[in-house]
Amino acid sequence: MAQLENETIRLRALEPEDLELLYRWENNPELWSLGNTMSPYSRYILKEYIRESHRDIFDLKQLRLMIELRSTGAAIGTVDLYDFEPHHRRAGIGILLEPVYQGNGLATEAMNVLMDYAFSFLKLHQLYVHIPVDNEASKALFTRCGFTVTGIMTDWIITESGYSDVLMMQKVNKQIV
């Protein structure tokens, strides 16, 4: 079975203690344009989300895990599998990392651990991600992780300066038929 950790980071289930971190991340308007968030989340809704997170990916069609530093136990971000399609064996993938921890390879490590889990344990055939065309850091991260650009969705998201295109990137696991 795939391990949800390496020498540096651990991916773990959500815990009640994560509420304040999730509240801060989910209610950061600067991040809303990267997803589909239109309004803030209450602590109550996030508490319920954490309470329901024990349900498996086949039930919820998504899985969110906290990224934790093994050396300190500090939660530094999240990784997600979303829009899980068990019949087609694919899922979207996403990551959020606290800015102070960006730029030192931790996002790549977390993505590699999650991809190993997705491909070896869940037996997924492919993972995909949607990235705004001007998000150079995310394009670089997913390229490092073996994703390739497979399409461009024109005027896909609204931004402060108008509509923006979004790249579709995919990684196909050729070992799963």
Side-chain angles (χ1 to χ4, degrees), residues 84-97:
F84 174 63
E85 290 284 342
H87 178 71
H88 300 292
R89 294 201 202 135
R90 67 175 174 243
I93 190 168
I95 186 166
L96 177 144
L97 200 63

Side-chain angles (χ1 to χ4, degrees), residues 136-173:
E136 296 300 329
S138 287
K139 286 191 289 190
L141 168 65
F142 285 95
T143 298
R144 271 192 313 276
C145 291
F147 285 70
T148 57
V149 175
T150 56
I152 298 176
M153 296 176 277
T154 306
D155 286 351
W156 198 253
I157 58 171
I158 186 77
T159 67
E160 288 182 12
S161 58
Y163 281 95
S164 176
D165 297 348
V166 168
L167 298 177
M168 168 80 145
M169 296 182 78
Q170 292 173 276
K171 181 170 184 172
V172 177
N173 181 4

Side-chain angles (χ1 to χ4, degrees), residues 14-124:
L14 299 175
E15 297 288 350
E17 297 80 27
D18 299 321
L19 177 63
E20 290 306 314
L21 269 178
L22 289 178
Y23 183 79
R24 182 165 42 94
W25 293 335
E26 294 292 346
N27 290 307
N28 180 349
E30 293 176 10
L31 301 175
W32 290 355
S33 66
L34 303 175
N36 294 316
T37 302
M38 300 289 291
S39 60
Y41 287 92
S42 69
R43 282 184 176 83
Y44 173 78
I45 292 297
L46 291 171
K47 196 179 289 188
E48 289 298 302
Y49 177 75
I50 292 170
R51 190 176 66 77
E52 290 296 315
S53 68
H54 70 279
R55 295 167 50 201
D56 75 16
I57 190 170
F58 289 89
D59 183 23
L60 295 174
K61 304 300 183 219
Q62 76 173 52
L63 173 67
R64 174 170 285 180
L65 299 168
M66 297 298 287
I67 305 168
E68 184 178 88
L69 288 177
R70 289 189 61 197
S71 60
T72 64
I76 63 169
T78 64
V79 290
D80 294 274
L81 294 174
Y82 62 90
D83 292 342
F84 174 63
E85 290 284 342
H87 178 71
H88 300 292
R89 294 201 202 135
R90 67 175 174 243
I93 190 168
I95 186 166
L96 177 144
L97 200 63
E98 280 278 5
V100 70
Y101 295 102
Q102 294 174 4
N104 57 17
L106 294 172
T108 303
E109 289 193 45
M111 291 302 300
N112 285 331
V113 170
L114 184 62
M115 289 186 306
D116 182 50
Y117 172 76
F119 288 144
S120 65
F121 185 72
L122 294 177
K123 306 291 189 224
L124 294 186

